[in-house]
Amino acid sequence: MEIFEKDDDVLIVINADPDALASAMAVKRLLRYRVKHVAIAYPNEIRRLSNIAMMDLLKIPAERLQNIKARDFSKKIMLDSQPLHLPAFEKIDFDVVIDHHPITTGWEAKHIDIRPDYGATATMLVEYLRAANMKPSVALATALFYAIKVDTQNFEKYANLADAISFKYLFNIANKNMVRKIE
């Protein structure tokens, strides 16, 4: 939070999938009263029907990165990825990088939180919300719940205790009927 100021316009850059979308929603919630404006942008074309349904049903305000001028934003955040993951990311200087994938090198940011032992970046953002004493809305909880479910492949893929604790925390807040509709 120390990185952000009231007059900041913040760009959250993601490679749009459930984990990244949910994480972006969580960061947007965390920064709601801290900065002037937050936008979410992604470079990839969203084709998977469940991802389209997630964006539509949960009303996730995200737009194509190609339609945004990154230089118009005073702060930039990357979620669920790292700056050298895609060529579209390489020209952007990120202030914050939060990810659960293996650590890459050759880039810098003011705040880096990479936890490759986590099953989902959404789990990390649940921890951020809880640390800030912010209870997620039903829509945000649904997105985070679904993201953890997808990235851990229903806990059949690698997950740790933090993933399970976050999933359990979200269980009674999330709209599980909406999750079924997305799926």
Side-chain angles (χ1 to χ4, degrees), residues 24-151:
M25 287 177 67
V27 169
K28 190 167 182 167
R29 170 64 183 100
L30 283 162
L31 296 177
R32 180 186 301 169
Y33 300 112
R34 182 77 177 179
V35 300
K36 184 168 60 175
H37 174 70
V38 179
I40 302 168
Y42 57 92
N44 57 313
E45 187 172 338
I46 301 173
R47 292 186 177 147
R48 190 173 279 163
L49 289 178
S50 58
N51 294 352
I52 294 167
M54 179 183 183
M55 288 185 71
D56 289 345
L57 293 170
L58 297 177
K59 297 174 179 43
I60 301 172
E63 55 190 296
R64 294 296 297 266
L65 185 59
Q66 295 88 318
N67 300 333
I68 288 182
K69 293 182 177 108
R71 67 181 176 274
D72 290 345
F73 293 84
S74 54
K75 299 285 174 25
K76 292 145 200 102
I77 301 171
M78 169 159 280
L79 299 172
D80 193 36
S81 195
Q82 293 171 43
L84 301 180
H85 181 207
L86 290 176
F89 300 157
E90 292 175 4
K91 295 176 184 158
I92 301 171
D93 290 325
F94 291 97
D95 298 282
V96 175
V97 176
I98 302 172
D99 189 19
H100 74 109
H101 295 99
I103 298 169
T104 62
T105 58
W107 56 272
E108 295 178 8
K110 291 176 189 159
H111 176 78
I112 299 169
D113 186 359
I114 299 178
R115 304 182 205 174
D117 57 323
Y118 276 52
T121 302
T123 298
M124 298 166 66
L125 269 298
V126 170
E127 291 178 351
Y128 276 68
L129 288 166
R130 292 184 81 178
N133 289 317
M134 292 182 183
K135 183 179 177 186
S137 66
V138 172
L140 177 53
T142 302
L144 292 164
F145 179 86
Y146 178 63
I148 295 169
K149 192 175 189 300
V150 168
D151 258 37

